[in-house]
Amino acid sequence: MDARWDALVTGASLATLDGEGYGAITDGAVAWKDGVLAYVGRRADLPASPATLATHAIEASGWITPGLVDCHTHAVFAGDRAAEFEMRLEGARYQDIARAGGGILSTVRAVRNADEAALYAESKPRVDALRGDGVTTLEIKSGYGLDYENERKMLRVARRFRDSSLDVRTTYLAAHALPPEFVGRADDYIDAAIQWLPRLHAEGLVDAVDAFCEGIGFSPAQTRRLFDCARSLGLPVKLHADQLSDLGGAALASEFNALSADHVEHTSEAGVRAMASAGTVAVLLPGAFHVLRETQLPPLDLFRAHGVPMAIATDCNPGTSPLLSLRQAMQLACTHFKFTPEDALRGATVHGARALGLHDRGMLRVGMRADLALWDIKHPAELCYWLGGTLLRRTFVAGLPSIAAPRH
């Protein structure tokens, strides 16, 4: 058996995120074997020359970070909602657009009218853009089908993006909006969504369960019923919580030991305390905050005071966050939420992984999965400093190289 490492990269600086600050190591070295990190440290501390230590020895410059984790997206959809963007700029409220048949339901119509091949083809440029900007783990939700066959179609398409260059996690979000055939019968629709879940889970299509707990979505009681079903199947839950109002969504999610509560602009201190007690991650979505021109900030100081980890995600979706760059989400978190660049990088790596229940990635540490991003930068703060542009040189996913996809 060959005891050498599979690959060893030397020369680049490392932002390990292991410990305080960036966990920076200049003139670093990182190696892996069978997709797992086997060495993280200074090149000067290697026990021998790189060529004798690894099958593939790679000399690099710039910085290496953990691969980025986008822990909240709706990247699989059809059509767009550019007209609604224009309407909001002219003064229409998101709630008014939704109640008039726009919003989520307009995307539902487009998804239902697309077959699986068309849905994949429309979604692929978005996934490629996220991957091409450093994402190595991507969560994709259903929620634009709102019936069994179309929710299944969305989850099947999302699963197709899981390959050697990207790890995809799929989340069942049938409780996203009330479809037209169930108008006035929200409880009946939740009954149907509960019936679909075991079938989709049995096909291996569901990693977690989510819901939109909001006045224009589903009530806490309805959400609880769906989460009871998820719990009976051993599936973890996440929740769109307290985005537009405080219905106690974050506290409800915490009752179920949710992986995350997402948006959380209106979460109360009681909700923050519940999240801290349950170990639930706050997933902040600055893209939606920016596009909707919100003014209600999430309770950032309370999250910090109570030790609630804060992840950053794109919320890539056609209506409220048409965002195709997790780096841009990181920059928006610095601008709107007063994150430091280090906060933002941790939010898109360490805490993003935790928000998906993944404890094998998100930092550079021996024993962790070899998900890496190599950047053409002189300091990690540049990941939040530059607005756009191509900074990524390549990624490695479980040790396998992936050339950055072209931007779309």
Side-chain angles (χ1 to χ4, degrees):
M1 180 178 177
D2 190 349
R4 292 188 301 172
W5 297 322
D6 293 333
L8 169 63
V9 181
T10 55
S13 297
L14 310 180
T16 68
L17 302 179
D18 190 3
E20 297 297 321
Y22 289 110
I25 300 173
T26 58
D27 193 17
V30 58
W32 56 87
K33 178 77 173 177
D34 297 329
V36 176
L37 293 175
Y39 180 89
V40 178
R42 299 191 308 156
R43 171 160 47 182
D45 294 333
L46 287 169
S49 67
T52 64
L53 291 169
T55 303
H56 299 286
I58 303 166
E59 180 68 19
S61 59
W63 281 77
I64 294 174
T65 71
L68 303 187
V69 179
D70 197 347
C71 63
H72 180 132
T73 86
H74 307 255
V76 169
F77 61 85
D80 67 64
R81 291 182 0 223
E84 293 178 15
F85 173 70
E86 190 170 40
M87 290 169 64
R88 284 198 302 273
L89 292 176
E90 293 171 350
R93 297 187 311 155
Y94 175 67
Q95 296 95 319
D96 297 332
I97 293 170
R99 291 192 177 103
I104 293 169
L105 291 181
S106 65
T107 301
V108 171
R109 291 190 291 271
V111 166
R112 288 181 173 185
N113 288 331
D115 63 19
E116 188 169 317
L119 186 59
Y120 177 85
E122 279 206 56
S123 303
K124 187 175 186 299
R126 294 186 287 272
V127 173
D128 284 348
L130 293 166
R131 173 170 33 204
D133 209 27
V135 171
T136 56
T137 300
L138 179 67
E139 188 256 19
I140 303 177
K141 303 178 190 296
S142 68
Y144 294 130
L146 307 189
D147 62 27
Y148 174 75
E149 289 300 334
N150 285 291
E151 288 290 296
R152 180 175 181 267
K153 177 175 67 180
M154 289 190 68
L155 292 167
R156 283 171 54 87
V157 167
R159 282 288 206 233
R160 287 177 62 182
F161 291 114
R162 178 185 287 177
D163 58 26
S164 62
S165 67
L166 187 69
D167 188 14
V168 171
R169 299 289 158 152
T170 50
T171 298
Y172 177 68
L173 182 58
H176 195 196
L178 193 63
E181 59 269 27
F182 280 89
V183 169
R185 298 190 296 129
D187 284 329
D188 291 341
Y189 178 67
I190 292 295
D191 286 340
I194 289 170
Q195 292 170 7
W196 305 333
L197 177 55
R199 297 163 64 188
L200 296 170
H201 178 46
E203 285 193 55
L205 295 175
V206 180
D207 294 315
V209 175
D210 196 351
F212 183 33
C213 184
E214 192 55 72
I216 61 172
F218 295 93
S219 70
Q222 291 160 347
T223 300
R224 185 183 300 277
R225 290 171 53 209
L226 178 63
F227 282 6
D228 280 335
C229 177
R231 176 184 278 170
S232 72
L233 295 170
L235 285 167
V237 300
K238 305 163 67 67
L239 187 63
H240 285 62
D242 308 331
Q243 179 185 8
L244 305 173
S245 62
D246 182 10
L247 294 184
L252 171 62
S254 301
E255 285 183 40
F256 288 83
N257 297 112
L259 296 175
S260 68
D262 303 26
H263 288 287
V264 293
E265 281 92 337
H266 291 265
T267 297
S268 67
E269 183 167 4
V272 172
R273 289 180 182 275
M275 291 173 66
S277 178
T280 296
V281 176
V283 175
L284 306 185
L285 304 171
F289 184 92
H290 178 79
V291 169
L292 293 173
R293 297 189 290 180
E294 294 286 359
T295 57
Q296 176 69 43
L297 288 167
L300 304 168
D301 291 340
L302 288 174
F303 287 141
R304 293 185 177 105
H306 293 288
V308 175
M310 290 181 281
I312 302 295
T314 62
D315 192 19
C316 174
N317 77 72
T320 62
S321 189
L323 180 54
L324 299 178
S325 167
L326 185 51
R327 277 201 309 113
Q328 182 68 73
M330 292 160 59
Q331 198 282 332
L332 290 172
C334 294
T335 300
H336 291 303
F337 300 158
K338 298 182 180 179
F339 271 43
T340 67
E342 182 215 323
D343 291 335
L345 182 56
R346 284 185 180 276
T349 53
V350 180
H351 302 322
R354 182 171 170 181
L356 295 177
L358 302 174
H359 300 282
D360 63 345
R361 67 198 72 181
M363 67 176 65
L364 305 183
R365 175 192 288 172
V366 171
M368 302 287 272
R369 181 176 149 116
D371 287 359
L372 317 173
L374 174 60
W375 306 94
D376 186 16
I377 56 176
K378 296 180 177 64
H379 191 278
E382 291 185 56
L383 298 176
C384 297
Y385 168 71
W386 293 108
L387 297 173
T390 302
L391 302 183
L392 183 73
R393 288 181 177 168
R394 70 192 310 181
T395 57
F396 296 86
V397 179
L400 297 177
S402 171
I403 303 300
R407 298 300 303 274
H408 293 264

